[in-house]
């Protein structure tokens, strides 16, 4: 919608609406650390799914890529969440050895901006003590001396370098 048009002031001012007409899904937390879990024991963490748009969002599927992580009481899917409504997914981690474990929880939805949201999962014995920070940061300078970037490398779990833009 355009408003503000008059013969005295031929300026078009678009009206920007803060409303989002698509269903959006917000997932918290985006990263779950189950911490140190003794071998043979389990720990459960809750992940919250929220319809954060102005219309309902449909949860179409939930999957895991590592069998040491499992879902407890998975809701029947597909499931619609109304605006501001929460749904919950409880993820269970079973420690079977002395190795650090990582996995990904994938959530598929009707959110057109982010149809698949991934939550990083990790657990097991600590290799790097918490006071060491758990990450290695380094500055990358391209060969043409263009714009560089700060890169973060996790010292345990998923060790894929990623551009770091701050906490």
């Amino acid at each position: 919608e355009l408003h503000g048009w008059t013969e005295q002031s031929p300026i078009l001012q678009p009206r920007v609406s803060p409303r989002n007409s698509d269903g959006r899904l917000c997932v918290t937390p985006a990263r779950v650390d189950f911490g140190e879990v003794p071998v043979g024991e389990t720990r459960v963490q809750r992940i919250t799914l929220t319809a954060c748009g102005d219309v309902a969002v449909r949860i179409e599927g939930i999957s895991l890529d590592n069998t040491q992580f499992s879902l407890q009481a998975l809701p029947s899917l597909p499931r619609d969440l109304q605006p501001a409504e929460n749904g919950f997914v409880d993820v269970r981690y079973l420690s079977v050895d002395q190795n650090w474990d990582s996995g990904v929880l994938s959530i598929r939805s009707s959110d057109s901006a982010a149809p698949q949201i991934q939550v990083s999962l990790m657990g097991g014995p600590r290799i790097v003590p918490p006071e060491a920070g758990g990450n290695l940061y380094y500055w990358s300078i391209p060969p043409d001396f263009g714009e560089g970037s700060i890169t973060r490398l996790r010292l345990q779990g998923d060790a894929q370098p990623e551009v770091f833009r701050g906490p």
Side-chain angles (χ1 to χ4, degrees), residues 34 41-43 64-70 91-97 99-102 121 123-124:
F34 289 85
E41 293 188 19
T42 63
R43 184 166 294 152
L64 291 160
D65 71 345
N66 182 332
T67 58
Q68 287 182 246
F69 299 95
S70 60
V91 179
R92 183 175 69 108
Y93 167 62
L94 169 63
S95 178
V96 296
D97 53 31
N99 296 324
W100 179 258
D101 298 303
S102 63
L121 308 171

Side-chain angles (χ1 to χ4, degrees), residues 21 36 42 52 68 84 101 140 151:
S21 62
E36 292 191 54
T42 63
C52 53
Q68 287 182 246
D101 298 303
S140 300
T151 302

Side-chain angles (χ1 to χ4, degrees), residues 46-57:
R46 176 162 279 186
I47 296 171
T48 303
L49 313 178
T50 304
C52 53
D54 293 327
V55 298
V57 65

Side-chain angles (χ1 to χ4, degrees), residues 27-33 45-48 105 117-120:
V27 178
T28 54
R31 182 174 179 238
V32 177
D33 185 347
Q45 295 278 354
R46 176 162 279 186
I47 296 171
T48 303
L105 171 72
I117 296 175
Q118 296 186 329
V119 178
S120 297

Side-chain angles (χ1 to χ4, degrees), residues 9-128:
S9 171
I11 298 172
L12 293 177
Q13 298 174 341
R15 176 175 287 169
V16 178
S17 172
R19 295 183 57 85
N20 178 356
S21 62
D22 291 334
R24 295 284 186 243
L25 180 65
C26 295
V27 178
T28 54
R31 182 174 179 238
V32 177
D33 185 347
F34 289 85
E36 292 191 54
V37 179
V39 173
E41 293 188 19
T42 63
R43 184 166 294 152
V44 176
Q45 295 278 354
R46 176 162 279 186
I47 296 171
T48 303
L49 313 178
T50 304
C52 53
D54 293 327
V55 298
V57 65
R58 175 166 281 197
I59 309 299
E60 297 168 347
I62 300 175
S63 62
L64 291 160
D65 71 345
N66 182 332
T67 58
Q68 287 182 246
F69 299 95
S70 60
L71 302 175
Q72 291 189 319
L74 179 66
S76 61
L77 297 174
R79 177 176 176 212
D80 291 334
L81 292 177
Q82 298 306 313
E85 181 182 5
N86 291 328
F88 303 98
V89 176
D90 292 329
V91 179
R92 183 175 69 108
Y93 167 62
L94 169 63
S95 178
V96 296
D97 53 31
Q98 292 294 324
N99 296 324
W100 179 258
D101 298 303
S102 63
V104 174
L105 171 72
S106 297
I107 303 162
R108 289 181 293 107
S109 73
S110 62
D111 183 336
S112 60
Q116 181 167 307
I117 296 175
Q118 296 186 329
V119 178
S120 297
L121 308 171
M122 58 200 73
R126 296 272 182 223
I127 299 167
V128 178

